[in-house]
Amino acid sequence: MASNKPNKLAFLSMPAPASYVAGLGRGASGFTTRSDIGPAREGPSAETIAEAQARRGEEPDVDPEQFQDPDNEYGLFAGTTYEADDEEADKIYEQVDKNMDARRRARREAREEAELAKHRAERPKLQQQFVDLKRGLAAVTDEEWTNIPEVGNLTRKKRKRDFERSWAVPDSVIVGNRASTEYESSLDAQQQATGGFETPANSGTLTNFVEIGQARDKILSLKLDQVSGVASGTATSVDPKGYLTSLDSVAIKSEAEIGDIKRARMLFDSLVKSNPKHAPGWIAAACLEEHAGRMVAARKLIKAGCEHCPKSEDVWLEAARLHTPDDAKVILANAVQHVGQSVKVWLAAADLEHDIKAKKRVLRKSVEHIPNSVRLWKETVNLETNPADVRIILSRAVEVIPLSVELWLALARLETPERAKAVLNKARKAIPTSHDIWIAAGRLLEQEAYSNADTTSEQKEKQLAMVDKTIEAGVRELRRHQVFLTREQWLKEAEKCEEDGSMRTCEAIVKATVSMEIEEEDRLDTWMGDAESVEGRGKVGTARAILAYALKVFPDRRELWRKAAELEKSHGTRESLNAMLERAVQHCPQAETLWLMWAKEKWIGGDVPAARDVLAKAFDANPESEQIWLAAVKIEAENKEYQAARDLLVRARTVADTERIWMKSAVFERQHGQVEAAMETVKAALVKFPKFSKLYMIQGQIYQSQKNYAAARAIYAAGMKQCPKDVKLWILASRLEELDGKSIKARALLERARMVNPASEQLWAETVGVEERSGGAAQAKAMLSRGLQECPESGLLWTMSVWSEPRPARKTRSADALRKTKDNPLVICTVARIFWSERKIEKAREWFGRALAQDSDLGDVWAWWLKFERQHGTEETRQEVINRCVAAEPHHSPVWESIAKDDKNLGKGTKEILELVADVIQ
């Protein structure tokens, strides 16, 4: 009976569905063969697929993104060809894109850099936070490093037990250890039978080692005597005393070096056999044998080289070097037969002669064989001691070698002035392209002019004028013969003349050539630059000549006259400086600086009436000059002519009527105790000049000295309202509140000041000072950090930051400060003080000098240096610091200004102020 149940295995006879892979459900990957995919044929085309989709009523698939990208031409222009017009259009669009990107690049890059800097400032990397600590590891000593404890094991793995096992020591070990330190005082039976020795001697005697050593020394001395020839009567070069010592200097070659020498010997042997005419091969082979210590073989090789290469001077010279002096003379004599035109061979032969006569004989023979060698003639001349013989030899030399400038000049130096002129004329005709001959002619004329003591000044000037004409003619002739030296080359020649003492020739060269190769509008800047560079090289005469020529071309340029005056002040005399300033004010009567420099030089020289006369002439030329009025007042005040100074100020207020004159008038009255007159002057000045901040400062300080804090506060408030950008006015108001015990109000004033004057290092420094004086060290450090964020390049704030750090961290902080402030002089002074505290005296002195080289106007830095020299220097170093400070005349720095402007120090000079500042600075 057939069952109606469905057959569960019927699927085995069914065809497999499409894309069926056996075992795929359980993770099998399988593989595909040709029978699975059928014969290799193309699939349906796009048109066939489109027709089938149309029959089924389906729409073709469209890529929604194909029209979104303008650079993708798949959609609309997919079938078009790419022509030259398309390429040109693409290039144009690409250029437009580049131009648009370049226009925005600077702004975009600046914005990205600012964002990156802000991000790094807000969220610094962990590595940057530990930079100081990592740098501090360099100061860790080896002992500190070894004392660092090891990291313990905090886990329970391999943990030591709390108890230790122990075992009992055997008795044999204890007995053996006790017996190892005992001494035996008796002999056993065997030792008594053999006389106390374990091994008996054959004859019963002991070995005498002293006699053995003496016998060895005697044998060695006999051998030395035999070698040195003492025993046989012959003489050798062995020194018996230095024999053992010389053995120490014998170079023992290693097996590798010996192998290298053997290989090199084989190579050189093959070289000289294959090419026996190759001179360097013979020389190298001989040097190899010399290095190997085989001098006999080396001499044989170089001898063979001389036979094969008789025309090579190097082979003959090497042969002479490898032989003794006597043999070398013979070798060089043979060399002259083959290479008689070799200068080196003749010079080597002359060097071998120790007798002067023999050396002269060799050199005279050499010039007979090689008459056109300048070097041989010079060597021949150098050996002669008689000027007449030298003159004869040089006369013959210039006949044989008429194109040698050195020989002509040497002959001219030996002749009398008249004959020297004839010699130089012959040289000029023989060598018309040499500038050295023309310069020598100018120097000869200058020497002749100064050597004649009987000539008058007019005759001397005429003779010196010939120097200028000679150099000018020389420059023209050289140009005519197509010889064009540059300005730099002519200036070098002028510097050489200055070194040799020919100043007029130097000036003549500058006059004739300094204007060459320069555009007309660039002459002034170029000449000033030339003068500075030449002065920097120490050639003051050349710099003076350049400026003198420039002043002839530009007599009305103030900066030129000032540069010339500074040059005379640094390197000239007081008379030359006065003469230069007198000429300067004649050509530039409106130049106030030149008048003041002249008056100051007269005053420094002690000639007060002359200084007054200079200022009187300056008044005539500049009746409304503020600086000249104030200079006149200063001269009268320094000479204690106070009434005359007061009268001058009254006249100045009438004639010039400037705010600075009114301010100086008030200061003058206050310094001399006339407080009421000073107050009246200030009030009158404020009516005329309400925007001048120093008037408010003077009035406030007067009220402050009178303990009238309310009036001073009102004056400062009025000044801050009229002059909100003046930082010193805000600081004075803050210090007034602090003096009155109102630190909170001082902080508020400084906060307002920082809002009105952002990024002011002085305000931030004063804020930090207020916090420190109030006892808030933490708050002071916080304000200092804020100040450094707002003023990252402030040397004043970085200096305060360095000293706020603990002592071990100051050096690291100072390194950061130097990098941030780009070598600010205040930071450099701080580094010098750190070296001072570490007792590094020379480094501290060097860094003080570096700080003042950056800015010599900082009086506090001079005071620190003087204080340092008081402690560690000598009297000479202290005096040098004082002299340099007086020459620099500093005017700024907080402590310096407070002491210099104090009424108690009225009339004191730079030296006295420096001493006072060095006493109080800390």
Side-chain angles (χ1 to χ4, degrees), residues 149 190-191 238 397 577 632 694 709 717:
Q190 184 180 1
Q191 290 174 343
V238 176
L577 176 58
K694 290 189 177 181
Y709 295 151

Side-chain angles (χ1 to χ4, degrees), residues 313-384:
E313 63 177 10
D314 295 331
V315 175
W316 291 104
L317 292 173
E318 186 66 20
R321 188 184 68 83
L322 291 175
H323 285 77
T324 60
D326 295 333
D327 295 339
K329 291 179 183 179
V330 178
I331 291 170
L332 291 178
N334 294 329
V336 169
Q337 304 299 323
H338 296 87
V339 283
Q341 298 298 314
S342 172
V343 177
K344 292 182 179 179
V345 170
W346 284 105
L347 291 175
D351 290 338
L352 289 175
E353 300 292 344
H354 298 290
D355 185 18
I356 299 297
K357 292 182 179 180
K359 195 170 280 192
K360 288 181 182 179
R361 186 169 57 252
V362 172
L363 288 173
R364 288 179 180 178
K365 279 189 177 182
S366 69
V367 295
E368 291 177 3
H369 285 77
I370 317 173
N372 59 349
S373 173
V374 178
R375 187 176 178 187
L376 289 176
W377 283 106
K378 289 171 66 177
E379 292 292 334
T380 306
V381 168
N382 291 335
L383 289 178
E384 298 293 338

